[in-house]
Amino acid sequence: VLSDRYGAQILSTIGALITATALFSMSTLNLHSSMTSIMLRLGLFGVGNGIFQTPNNSSVMGSVSKNRLGIASAFLATMRNAGMVLGIAMGSAIFTNRQMFYESLKINSNSAFLFGLRDAYIVAGILSIICALTSLVRDKINKKNNLEKDGV
């Protein structure tokens, strides 16, 4: 309903920015962070993902003809799953690498764990900002491609 009113482009961009804010906020967690603080950050992350996903999916599905909806749906699900798998793998690699780096500096294991986690959240936040920027320009690219198809 919101995407019909405001458009998928702006809602997806806002959702990605909220997600980035949550990820950067999670990078500030420390040994003394309360459960409430953690839950609020995770809740904000969920809200950002929800605001991004729905209009983005709607935009993708709305951009194909009816006879290709099954293909588009399958492709969308495949890309979503591939993104989750690659995101977890990349986040884990960054976390593990950075934790080992901090431990090599003789930082205690709890702090090294948090520093590695912080670095992984920062990279994820940067990727969410890139997502927001690409979401912001996608309608401009689609309009340009449509004009070129129409010979304008």
Side-chain angles (χ1 to χ4, degrees), residues 14-50:
I14 290 169
L17 289 173
I18 290 171
T19 299
T21 301
L23 288 163
F24 287 126
S25 177
M26 284 191 269
S27 75
T28 66
L29 294 171
N30 59 47
L31 291 173
H32 308 291
S33 297
S34 70
M35 187 61 70
T36 303
S37 175
I38 295 168
M39 288 170 39
L40 288 173
R41 287 170 168 86
L42 288 172
L44 185 63
F45 181 78
V47 167
N49 271 326

Side-chain angles (χ1 to χ4, degrees), residues 1 4 11-12 23 32 34 48 54 57 60 94 103 107 125 131-132 140-141 145 151:
V1 175
D4 293 338
L11 281 178
S12 293
L23 288 163
H32 308 291
S34 70
T54 304
N57 292 351
V60 169
I94 292 167
E103 286 175 349
I107 294 174
C131 172
K140 293 175 186 172
I141 293 169
N145 290 339

Side-chain angles (χ1 to χ4, degrees), residues 18 22 31 35 40 46-47 49 52 55 70 79-80 87 96 101 109 128 130 135-136 140:
I18 290 171
L31 291 173
M35 187 61 70
L40 288 173
V47 167
N49 271 326
F52 173 80
M79 291 300 103
R80 185 182 315 111
T96 302
F101 168 76
S109 61
S128 288
I130 293 169
S135 185
L136 187 62
K140 293 175 186 172

Side-chain angles (χ1 to χ4, degrees), residues 76-136:
L76 185 61
T78 301
M79 291 300 103
R80 185 182 315 111
N81 288 332
M84 286 188 288
V85 168
L86 290 173
I88 289 169
M90 187 176 73
S92 296
I94 292 167
F95 165 72
T96 302
N97 181 286
R98 298 304 292 169
Q99 181 184 16
M100 288 171 39
F101 168 76
Y102 290 118
E103 286 175 349
S104 74
L105 298 176
K106 305 295 184 217
I107 294 174
N108 74 54
S109 61
N110 287 340
S111 294
F113 178 90
L114 284 175
F115 290 158
L117 198 58
R118 178 200 63 197
D119 293 351
Y121 280 138
I122 288 171
V123 171
I126 291 167
L127 291 174
S128 288
I129 289 175
I130 293 169
C131 172
L133 293 173
T134 57
S135 185
L136 187 62

